Amino acid sequence: MNKDISQAELEVLKVLWAKSPLSANEVVIALADASEWHEKTVKTLLNRLVTKEAVGFEKDGRAYLYYPLVQQADYQQKESLSFIQRVLSGRISPLVAGFAKQQKLDARDVAELKQLIADWEKEQKHD
């Protein structure tokens, strides 16, 4: 992926992550409820994503079918790391502390965090 993905482009990518390949018209229909974008806007966003190498396409008769070249998990990890660097100076504990103070963490979140920490500690002992 060559450049950052805008929020509008991300909405298009989410549609393709949910189901692909899709034609431009299918993407327009999928976004119809969530946005008031015209067909031309969605096609422009698709073209930008192709230019950024985040989306690929194949010709199917007269239509183009679009599919993501960027995996959702990879994108989320890259953006998470970027956010942590930009906003939290590379430290994750303020983010988790903020969620904990606002009671936004549920029991599942806490259990997953504990497991991540336990796994990390095991790795550190073996290094």
Side-chain angles (χ1 to χ4, degrees):
M1 192 167 49
N2 289 339
K3 298 180 182 174
D4 290 335
I5 304 290
S6 72
Q7 187 60 43
E9 292 163 347
L10 180 58
E11 294 307 313
V12 172
L13 255 180
K14 286 179 184 177
V15 168
L16 294 173
W17 282 329
K19 183 180 179 188
S20 65
L22 293 175
S23 69
N25 289 337
E26 290 170 321
V27 175
V28 169
I29 291 167
L31 289 168
D33 291 338
S35 72
E36 296 181 10
W37 295 334
H38 292 84
E39 181 179 343
K40 185 176 179 184
T41 302
V42 174
K43 288 182 177 180
T44 297
L45 293 170
L46 282 166
N47 286 330
R48 286 184 191 163
L49 287 165
V50 168
T51 300
K52 292 179 180 183
E53 299 177 0
V55 168
F57 65 90
E58 58 190 43
K59 196 164 169 70
D60 182 32
R62 294 179 51 203
Y64 290 95
L65 298 178
Y66 296 89
Y67 53 89
L69 294 174
V70 175
Q71 297 301 313
Q72 187 171 9
D74 294 339
Y75 175 80
Q76 289 171 334
Q77 182 176 12
K78 176 185 170 281
E79 288 301 306
S80 295
L81 292 173
S82 173
F83 172 80
I84 290 166
Q85 287 299 324
R86 286 182 291 115
V87 178
L88 302 169
S89 300
R91 297 187 61 237
I92 194 162
S93 57
L95 178 67
V96 176
F99 272 93
K101 285 180 185 172
Q102 295 178 14
Q103 300 173 344
K104 300 285 184 188
L105 294 176
D106 61 20
R108 191 174 114 213
D109 291 327
V110 172
E112 288 176 8
L113 287 168
K114 286 180 179 179
Q115 186 61 52
L116 286 169
I117 292 168
D119 292 346
W120 180 82
E121 288 175 335
K122 278 185 198 173
E123 287 178 19
Q124 298 307 307
K125 288 180 183 175
H126 292 312
D127 286 348

